[in-house]
Amino acid sequence: MEARFEAVRAAVGAALDGSLAALPDGDLTDAMRYATLGGKRVRAFLVMEGARLNGVPDHAALPVAAAVEALHAYSLVHDDLPSMDDDDLRRGMPTCHVQWSEATAILAGDALQALAFGLLADPAIGPPEARIRLLAAFADAVGAQGMVWGQALDIAAETAVEVPDLAAVKRMQQAKTGALIGFAATAGPMIAGADTAPLAEYARNLGLAFQIADDLLDATGDEETTGKRTRKDEAAGKATFVSLLGVDGARAKAHLLIDRAIAALAPYGSEADDLIALARFVIERDA
């Protein structure tokens, strides 16, 4: 998996650099480029592997992988804003609004979102009907019934009279984190016009496990390793998988979800070995 992961990172980085190089010089483009630096590229890897498993060549999947990473970068820029999570450190670097200004960060996020939709229109992906399928699914995943809705639920929970229960936290995270992961995993079969169910089930479990791992890193990790502030959830009194299940309970839940994710890949046999390795990486990572 490591060699494939590195190849995907390099290819997606080059694709994003190429798209950004076509934009006017200035703080806006510089902030967009800054926001896309680093990161694990898990979502891009899901796109590329889901595509490979369904007979979609890398050159067709690459614009989709770049789109997912551009969208993810926008979400992080906005998530870090003073009016949202008010973070000053991301991927070991000052957050975008700290490096530039809040206004520039907002505009950079807006522009990255627009760039993501533009990348999904690339003819290299396939015929128009495949691109329309992707665009419609992408809009659902990242908008007011997906990622943005999850963010809204997260904000509302901060001032709720009653602390959200486990079902509410799960619902929020399935939207905030899981929706984009779900799109990334199923983009390949969508392009191919194939069955999305196995990878959708894989992604549903992987997305929750990924969030639990993030909650555990916030509770038990250190800033130097994670590249972002830790212990923020506890300080803010947020309901998380760790606060509701405890550290050991959260770890056990994450392992159960990864087992379910791996089981969903059975139709692909050994061809899914890289996605199996990714699932295990998700709960073993330290950043």
Side-chain angles (χ1 to χ4, degrees):
M1 184 192 76
E2 290 180 9
R4 174 69 166 165
F5 223 133
E6 288 305 318
V8 167
R9 279 197 190 102
V12 170
L16 288 171
D17 285 346
S19 296
L20 293 168
L23 301 178
D25 290 337
D27 283 353
L28 176 62
T29 302
D30 288 345
M32 293 169 69
R33 185 176 291 108
Y34 182 84
T36 63
L37 294 175
K40 293 174 283 296
R41 308 292 196 206
V42 165
R43 293 156 187 82
F45 188 77
L46 284 170
V47 171
M48 300 302 287
E49 282 300 291
R52 183 183 63 79
L53 290 176
N54 285 274
V56 177
D58 280 0
H59 76 266
L62 184 57
V64 185
V68 167
E69 290 297 330
L71 196 289
H72 180 51
Y74 131 71
S75 74
L76 297 181
V77 170
H78 281 199
D79 198 41
D80 290 337
L81 290 170
S83 59
M84 303 281 271
D85 280 356
D86 194 14
D87 271 313
D88 62 356
L89 190 67
R90 171 72 67 176
R91 295 172 175 172
M93 304 183 296
T95 47
C96 201
H97 67 274
V98 173
Q99 187 72 9
W100 275 273
S101 68
E102 186 172 0
T104 298
I106 291 169
L107 293 173
D110 292 343
L112 284 165
Q113 183 186 48
L115 176 64
F117 278 90
L119 286 165
L120 289 180
D122 191 329
I125 294 169
E129 56 268 26
R131 284 175 274 149
I132 290 171
R133 280 196 300 271
L134 286 174
L135 283 162
F138 195 57
D140 286 344
V142 305
Q145 60 183 359
M147 186 188 72
V148 174
W149 179 55
Q151 183 67 64
L153 291 175
D154 195 16
I155 292 171
E158 293 179 3
T159 55
V161 175
E162 295 184 5
V163 176
D165 61 13
L166 190 60
V169 170
K170 181 179 177 181
R171 181 171 62 252
M172 183 264 289
Q173 295 298 356
Q174 283 176 323
K176 182 180 176 183
T177 303
L180 185 57
I181 286 176
F183 171 83
T186 56
M190 272 192 276
I191 295 169
D195 183 14
T196 61
L199 286 171
E201 178 64 13
Y202 169 80
R204 190 160 34 249
N205 289 287
L206 183 78
L208 278 177
F210 191 96
Q211 184 57 50
I212 291 173
D214 267 1
D215 289 352
L216 285 164
L217 286 172
D218 181 77
T220 66
D222 64 86
E223 293 174 6
E224 185 175 348
T225 303
T226 63
K228 57 186 179 182
R229 302 298 179 202
T230 57
R231 313 298 192 276
K232 287 200 66 179
D233 291 342
E234 183 180 3
K238 289 181 67 172
T240 68
F241 288 103
V242 172
S243 71
L244 294 168
L245 297 174
V247 170
D248 291 341
R251 284 202 178 104
K253 180 66 172 177
H255 281 279
L256 175 62
L257 289 165
I258 290 305
D259 288 343
R260 290 174 179 170
I262 291 171
L265 297 172
Y268 297 109
S270 62
E271 287 295 304
D273 282 352
D274 280 352
L275 287 183
I276 291 171
L278 174 68
R280 292 179 176 140
F281 162 77
V282 158
I283 56 172
E284 294 168 358
R285 62 193 171 93
D286 57 6

